[in-house]
Amino acid sequence: MANSINKKNHMKFTLLSLISLLYPLVTNSYNPDYNLAINCGYSTNTTSLDNRIWVGDNDIENSNLLSFTEPTTTNQSFITKPISLSNTQIPFTTARVSISNFTYSFPINNITNSPVFIRLHFYPTSYQNFELSNAIFSVEVNNNLTLLKNFNPLHWAKDSTIIKEYCIQVKPHEKLTITFIPNPNSINQSNLYYAFINGIEVVSMPPFLYYSDLSDLNYQIRSVDTDTTDYKIQNDKALEMVYRVNVGDNQVPPSNDTGMFRNWDNDYPLYLEKQYPQSVSSDFGEHLNYLKNNVPNYTAPEAVYLTARTYGLNVKEDYNVTWNFEVDSTFTYMVRLHFCEFEEIIKDQGYRVFQIFIDDILAEQYADVFSWSHGRLVPVNKDYAVTMYTPKGSSQIEKVNLTIKLQRMPIHSKLAPKYRDVILNGIEIFKISDNNNNLAGVNPKYLSPKEPSSPSPQSKSKNSTIVIFIAVGVSCLLLAFVATGIIVFVRRRKRFESHFEMEETSWKTIKREGSSTLPSHLCRYFTIAEIKAATNNFDDIFIIGVGGFGNVYKGYTDGVTPVAIKRLKPGSQQGVNEFMNEIELLSQLRHIHLVSLIGYCNEGAEMILVYDFMQRGTLREYLYGSDNERLTWKQRLEILLGAARGLHYLHTGAKHSIIHRDVKSTNILLDEKWVAKVSDFGLSKAGPTGMAMTHVSTVVKGSIGYLDPEYYLRQRLTLKSDVYSFGVVLLEVLCARPPLVRSSEKKKASLVIWFQRCYKEGLIVEELVDPFIRDSITSESLKCYCQMVLSCLHDDGNQRMSMSDVVGALEFALQLVTTEEDSKFGWTKEKEKSEQRLLPHFTSEDGSDVFTSSSDDYGSQTSKVSTISTSTEGQPMLSAKVFSEIGYPKAR
């Protein structure tokens, strides 16, 4: 375990600081063809503390290296110094400031065809005649690539330095220009917005350090969203380095990089969630082995590969080694993880195997560094691409959390390693430019100097004067809060009304005291007093379920009628929109296979929905994960048929078609008579209207494992998206296992992919079937059922069955079971013919099976025919966005 691996390093780590100063790092493994550092606002060349030469942009002798252009009439730039020069390091002693555009150009003959680093250095502080709060500007490269937009350095740091690093490919015969563009100033000139810059670096890099070598078939970037390895970063993309971290040790400064002046931050305390005792391993006694040529020797400094973070000594409980990184949503990121096995005890593959999660997606189920590198002291890295979305599916850019988690192999795993431990040496995270050639994100939320703030990635500790000022400010704020609280108590002012930001106009459709626009006979309004009386003031003993919305309680309205009460929890990923959506939809829908909404409560901070109580709970509880009695095959088909009829009603029976958007086994509830009812309509959406409309364009929402891949990839929601999700439920019922199992071997982690592969390769599908029902399903019934499942799970939505056809296929499957039961008492040819007359089954011209559905719930006698394709070619190989939390999955 970790104890045996780290014990020999215990004494080493106590001397780590001293050793790191004395150890000869591998520097200048790469010599840049082009290396220019500009000290903006300076007239001569200067030398920094690390002996690097910075050229002045105001020195005419440097005109062959760069040129500076700006308006020649008015509003020319200023060369200025910080008013309070607390930072004396180059290039932060001077700045170029302007309220007009200004541009730095670099001659074409000096730039090679290789990509280059561009680093912009900012020192956000007060400059003469310029307020820092008015420093709002954009930065563009070659007038077509946006690096920064509405950038306000004050929001990132104050009196601390900011370095923004980018990777770009300069096109042949094109010179490099960097333009700084202040935000437009108001007409009355009350706010003079300006741009400023302290230093610029342009440094060439190896062609394929971060860009994909299309000729190298061994290099792969794994897309964790789609579980494919064909993602490429080509030259038309620009990158922003958002994080570069040396895991398990101190910072590696630019002067100790491999020749490209990259800075490697230390991972704790800024990024590592929790540091466990003796979790740092190191070995400065040996040099790396680059002979195997897994990665070039300039990829990262030796100090990165010879230090690592592992599980820690004497750790008994399981936990995730977790790093958290704040990033901009709506962008795709390349995550590079650096590994090197230097522990002498790790002698072969299989000694240390663990799991890697990126943004809670299982990126590597069996991470074995030794098997990747084929030896000790051999560096290796793995690249992954992940797209970040906002929790509520908004298209607006927001700050979100990208996590990297390492997890030990489960103790009962089939692939039990010799040592249950993890290892990671370094992390790099790059933002990839979007289709609009944009890398600009949003400013962090501004914290005034009077508020305590946690360290930002680019900021350092404030000086003692600022700390004292903050302490005084916080004390004053606390006193003000206490005084305000007393006033509020005395005057009995209204309580804080919501934990969420709600616009009053959002509630015009939901009003109290008889003014509700909802029909009173369909939806009752409950006071919070009635809800508390029904749940004994939300006593935990009444909790019957927990979901993304919040807790679900069993209660009794009017002291008699049992109901299910769903209460929004503070910080829920769902909120006002889902709450309103469910009320508006369910109050107008009534069907035997839909859960009925009885009423709601919207009072103060409370948002509560009240439903019919479903005595037997969810379908999933009778498939796996509980002690409930297992369902027979016939019971399962009857439940599925009921749920399918409910979805069919949503698609065709309501005034307007409705797409449920969150079909899964936990949203199919069972009453005391085992009647299935579809529930949870918070994410539901009106379907396409009109003959010309085939889909609804919307952000992706739903539950991972059940998402339609066509919807996931193209954001096009259709009625067939529900069909795909229901197809996953069909498989879940047949196999009695979750759609995604992160502890399974990779080929079995996704139930859908496993089933499709087995069927396509002619493997024994019966092995997937729940053993409890395996003997009760005939081969004919299983074939019929599997063909229906394959049609539902087709990657092309146009090729899937409709819900009407699913209803017909399930009716046929159920009739087969009934017929098979009858056959125990004697099978007659007449009955067989009668059965064939009841529901025809024939073959189309292309050889695929065709079923004819019977009449639907509403008495419609129209006959519909659906082709069920048995081909699985082109099925999506989406990875499982599984949940890496120990013990229970994260609610979505």
Side-chain angles (χ1 to χ4, degrees):
M1 211 183 89
N3 187 7
S4 60
I5 294 179
N6 287 284
K7 188 176 294 183
K8 76 182 187 68
N9 294 310
H10 178 55
M11 294 302 297
K12 290 182 181 180
F13 181 55
T14 60
L15 301 175
L16 186 59
S17 298
L18 178 61
I19 296 175
S20 62
L21 292 175
L22 299 178
Y23 185 76
L25 298 171
V26 179
T27 58
N28 296 325
S29 302
Y30 172 76
N31 293 315
D33 296 326
Y34 187 85
N35 175 19
L36 180 63
I38 304 171
N39 190 5
C40 300
Y42 215 79
S43 299
T44 60
N45 295 348
T46 53
T47 302
S48 60
L49 295 178
D50 58 1
N51 294 320
R52 189 179 184 189
I53 296 177
W54 291 74
V55 303
D57 69 343
N58 204 37
D59 188 348
I60 192 171
E61 293 183 1
N62 294 324
S63 59
N64 63 322
L65 299 176
L66 73 148
S67 59
F68 175 80
T69 58
E70 60 178 332
T72 58
T73 54
T74 58
N75 300 330
Q76 292 188 345
S77 63
F78 294 84
I79 295 175
T80 184
K81 295 182 178 181
I83 292 177
S84 176
L85 195 60
S86 60
N87 194 324
T88 58
Q89 294 185 4
I90 296 171
F92 303 112
T93 58
T94 58
R96 185 172 290 275
V97 182
S98 179
I99 61 174
S100 299
N101 298 2
F102 58 91
T103 299
Y104 289 89
S105 301
F106 305 90
I108 181 63
N109 57 343
N110 290 337
I111 303 291
T112 65
N113 290 327
S114 65
V116 295
F117 289 109
I118 294 178
R119 298 189 185 99
L120 306 178
H121 297 255
F122 303 98
Y123 181 28
T125 189
S126 298
Y127 295 94
Q128 186 176 8
N129 299 324
F130 291 95
E131 292 290 337
L132 182 57
S133 59
N134 290 336
I136 304 177
F137 55 95
S138 301
V139 180
E140 293 183 357
V141 170
N142 291 353
N143 298 320
N144 60 8
L145 170 64
T146 302
L147 304 184
L148 297 168
K149 190 174 182 63
N150 299 325
F151 178 62
N152 186 346
L154 178 60
H155 285 238
W156 293 80
K158 188 176 188 299
D159 294 324
S160 298
T161 60
I162 302 171
I163 301 175
K164 307 290 285 185
E165 179 183 296
Y166 305 90
C167 305
I168 69 165
Q169 177 77 52
V170 181
K171 295 180 181 180
H173 311 296
E174 182 180 62
K175 68 179 180 179
L176 173 66
T177 63
I178 305 174
T179 303
F180 297 79
I181 308 169
N183 273 22
N185 291 299
S186 58
I187 297 177
N188 58 15
Q189 299 293 304
S190 60
N191 291 320
L192 291 177
Y193 296 122
Y194 67 95
F196 77 95
I197 183 67
N198 299 89
I200 301 174
E201 293 179 69
V202 181
V203 180
S204 61
M205 70 173 81
F208 306 116
L209 177 62
Y210 299 117
Y211 286 90
S212 300
D213 183 358
L214 301 182
S215 64
D216 184 359
L217 301 180
N218 295 320
Y219 173 69
Q220 298 177 340
I221 301 179
R222 174 173 294 279
S223 172
V224 295
D225 298 304
T226 59
D227 194 25
T228 60
T229 56
D230 58 355
Y231 192 92
K232 306 294 182 184
I233 301 179
Q234 302 194 42
N235 292 340
D236 60 340
K237 292 293 185 181
L239 307 176
E240 178 186 354
M241 190 285 297
V242 285
Y243 296 99
R244 182 178 286 123
V245 177
N246 178 24
V247 172
D249 193 18
N250 297 322
Q251 174 192 19
V252 179
S255 57
N256 288 343
D257 188 37
T258 58
M260 290 170 278
F261 308 100
R262 297 169 298 177
N263 179 67
W264 299 77
D265 288 331
N266 51 319
D267 66 335
Y268 185 79
L270 286 179
Y271 314 115
L272 184 68
E273 193 167 276
K274 182 177 180 181
Q275 179 168 250
Y276 286 80
Q278 303 307 313
S279 65
V280 174
S281 297
S282 60
D283 195 337
F284 281 93
E286 301 180 77
H287 287 285
L288 299 177
N289 179 2
Y290 287 104
L291 297 180
K292 295 182 182 294
N293 201 28
N294 284 323
V295 297
N297 61 355
Y298 51 70
T299 304
E302 281 201 357
V304 173
Y305 287 121
L306 292 178
T307 58
R309 193 169 294 279
T310 56
Y311 225 63
L313 287 174
N314 305 318
V315 176
K316 296 180 180 179
E317 74 279 4
D318 280 326
Y319 65 90
N320 294 320
V321 185
T322 303
W323 292 265
N324 296 290
F325 301 96
E326 187 180 69
V327 297
D328 293 315
S329 66
T330 76
F331 286 92
T332 298
Y333 292 82
M334 184 188 82
V335 178
R336 171 168 292 181
L337 303 183
H338 297 264
F339 300 97
C340 182
E341 282 285 12
F342 52 76
E343 302 277 3
E344 293 179 357
I345 201 169
I346 305 298
K347 299 179 179 179
D348 202 351
Q349 62 184 30
Y351 271 52
R352 173 172 15 213
V353 184
F354 54 98
Q355 295 179 333
I356 301 174
F357 295 84
I358 298 177
D359 190 36
D360 290 326
I361 304 174
L362 182 60
E364 295 287 349
Q365 187 168 6
Y366 303 109
D368 187 338
V369 177
F370 200 100
S371 70
W372 294 338
S373 61
H374 306 293
R376 284 184 60 251
L377 293 168
V378 180
V380 65
N381 56 54
K382 290 289 183 178
D383 292 343
Y384 307 90
V386 58
T387 303
M388 300 300 297
Y389 299 98
T390 57
K392 296 182 180 180
S394 171
S395 59
Q396 298 297 318
I397 300 177
E398 299 178 14
K399 291 295 182 182
V400 294
N401 190 37
L402 191 161
T403 61
I404 298 173
K405 299 181 182 180
L406 306 184
Q407 187 177 113
R408 295 195 296 191
M409 290 297 295
I411 194 168
H412 299 300
S413 172
K414 294 180 181 179
L415 185 62
K418 191 168 184 178
Y419 301 102
R420 290 188 66 228
D421 200 0
V422 303
I423 186 172
L424 182 61
N425 304 71
I427 301 171
E428 291 182 275
I429 301 177
F430 289 86
K431 182 198 295 185
I432 303 173
S433 59
D434 62 19
N435 294 332
N436 296 319
N437 227 14
N438 172 63
L439 279 168
V442 294
N443 290 306
K445 184 178 179 181
Y446 176 67
L447 295 176
S448 76
K450 294 184 179 181
E451 297 176 347
S453 61
S454 58
S456 65
Q458 289 81 12
S459 65
K460 309 294 180 184
S461 301
K462 298 180 184 297
N463 57 38
S464 58
T465 304
I466 298 298
V467 171
I468 295 174
F469 179 73
I470 291 175
V472 173
V474 170
S475 301
C476 294
L477 285 175
L478 290 174
L479 290 174
F481 287 145
V482 172
T484 302
I486 294 174
I487 295 172
V488 169
F489 178 77
V490 172
R491 295 183 178 181
R492 299 181 180 179
R493 295 178 63 184
K494 196 173 182 179
R495 289 188 311 160
F496 179 65
E497 290 191 351
S498 176
H499 294 286
F500 304 95
E501 296 180 0
M502 303 178 187
E503 295 183 3
E504 294 181 0
T505 55
S506 299
W507 295 97
K508 290 182 179 180
T509 59
I510 302 180
K511 301 179 182 179
R512 289 190 55 191
E513 300 178 357
S515 60
S516 174
T517 61
L518 300 174
S520 60
H521 67 287
L522 291 180
C523 197
R524 170 181 170 183
Y525 183 84
F526 289 89
T527 65
I528 190 62
E530 291 175 302
I531 298 296
K532 288 183 176 180
T535 60
N536 194 25
N537 198 22
F538 299 110
D539 193 332
D540 287 351
I541 198 173
F542 288 94
I543 295 178
I544 57 175
V546 179
F549 188 95
N551 291 336
V552 182
Y553 300 79
K554 180 180 180 180
Y556 292 86
T557 60
D558 305 321
V560 178
T561 307
V563 292
I565 298 172
K566 187 160 69 171
R567 181 191 189 195
L568 177 70
K569 64 181 178 182
S572 169
Q573 293 185 12
Q574 300 186 34
V576 57
N577 292 332
E578 289 78 3
F579 180 66
M580 294 173 61
N581 193 52
E582 188 142 2
I583 295 174
E584 292 173 349
L585 279 178
L586 274 183
S587 62
Q588 303 174 54
L589 299 176
R590 286 295 182 269
H591 191 270
I592 189 174
H593 294 296
L594 300 182
V595 171
S596 297
L597 177 70
I598 296 176
Y600 70 97
C601 173
N602 168 37
E603 186 172 332
E606 298 288 351
M607 288 189 287
I608 296 170
L609 298 169
V610 182
Y611 304 89
D612 277 342
F613 181 71
M614 304 299 287
Q615 187 72 33
R616 299 191 184 276
T618 70
L619 170 59
R620 178 176 291 187
E621 295 172 44
Y622 295 89
L623 299 176
Y624 53 84
S626 74
D627 296 327
N628 291 333
E629 182 179 351
R630 294 294 182 91
L631 298 169
T632 66
W633 179 231
K634 184 177 181 181
Q635 284 179 306
R636 299 184 193 201
L637 288 176
E638 289 172 339
I639 291 168
L640 289 171
L641 179 56
R645 285 173 173 165
L647 291 171
H648 177 38
Y649 169 78
L650 289 178
H651 289 186
T652 62
K655 184 177 180 181
H656 301 290
S657 64
I658 296 170
I659 305 173
H660 187 279
R661 206 158 50 146
D662 198 17
V663 177
K664 55 184 177 181
S665 57
T666 52
N667 284 340
I668 298 175
L669 304 183
L670 306 172
D671 69 10
E672 58 182 354
K673 296 181 180 180
W674 298 100
V675 175
K677 297 178 185 288
V678 179
S679 69
D680 202 341
F681 295 80
L683 299 181
S684 298
K685 196 171 185 67
T689 59
M691 296 295 292
M693 290 189 64
T694 59
H695 66 273
V696 177
S697 296
T698 180
V699 294
V700 176
K701 289 188 179 182
S703 297
I704 301 301
Y706 298 86
L707 277 176
D708 169 18
E710 194 173 55
Y711 171 38
Y712 182 84
L713 295 173
R714 303 176 66 190
Q715 288 81 53
R716 292 186 172 184
L717 182 68
T718 69
L719 298 174
K720 298 296 184 68
S721 299
D722 280 354
V723 174
Y724 182 94
S725 300
F726 192 76
V728 180
V729 174
L730 292 173
L731 263 188
E732 206 175 352
V733 168
L734 179 67
C735 306
R737 57 148 279 184
L740 304 171
V741 180
R742 60 181 173 80
S743 59
S744 295
E745 58 185 284
K746 186 172 182 178
K747 67 179 182 179
K748 299 180 180 180
S750 168
L751 179 59
V752 171
I753 295 174
W754 185 24
F755 173 81
Q756 290 171 337
R757 183 180 293 116
C758 288
Y759 204 93
K760 181 179 181 180
E761 296 175 2
L763 302 178
I764 302 175
V765 177
E766 284 83 355
E767 293 183 358
L768 282 68
V769 178
D770 181 7
F772 183 80
I773 60 172
R774 189 176 295 164
D775 293 337
S776 63
I777 306 179
T778 66
S779 59
E780 182 182 9
S781 294
L782 182 60
K783 179 182 178 181
C784 166
Y785 191 92
C786 289
Q787 288 173 344
M788 173 178 57
V789 171
L790 284 170
S791 175
C792 292
L793 298 177
H794 204 290
D795 60 338
D796 182 357
N798 294 326
Q799 301 299 318
R800 296 175 200 151
M801 310 172 86
S802 66
M803 281 311 303
S804 174
D805 296 323
V806 174
V807 169
L810 284 170
E811 288 175 341
F812 178 71
L814 185 58
Q815 187 62 54
L816 280 178
V817 173
T818 303
T819 302
E820 290 159 2
E821 290 178 349
D822 290 343
S823 68
K824 296 179 181 179
F825 304 96
W827 177 275
T828 66
K829 291 291 184 180
E830 185 63 28
K831 190 167 187 177
E832 181 180 6
K833 293 178 181 178
S834 174
E835 183 59 38
Q836 290 175 345
R837 286 195 299 270
L838 175 65
L839 191 59
H841 172 230
F842 53 92
T843 305
S844 66
E845 293 180 357
D846 62 0
S848 57
D849 292 323
V850 178
F851 295 94
T852 304
S853 68
S854 63
S855 60
D856 57 29
D857 304 31
Y858 331 108
S860 172
Q861 300 298 319
T862 56
S863 177
K864 299 182 180 180
V865 178
S866 173
T867 300
I868 307 178
S869 173
T870 59
S871 171
T872 58
E873 294 182 6
Q875 293 296 324
M877 303 294 285
L878 287 176
S879 79
K881 186 152 186 171
V882 294
F883 309 121
S884 58
E885 277 69 15
I886 299 293
Y888 78 104
K890 179 167 65 177
R892 290 275 176 157

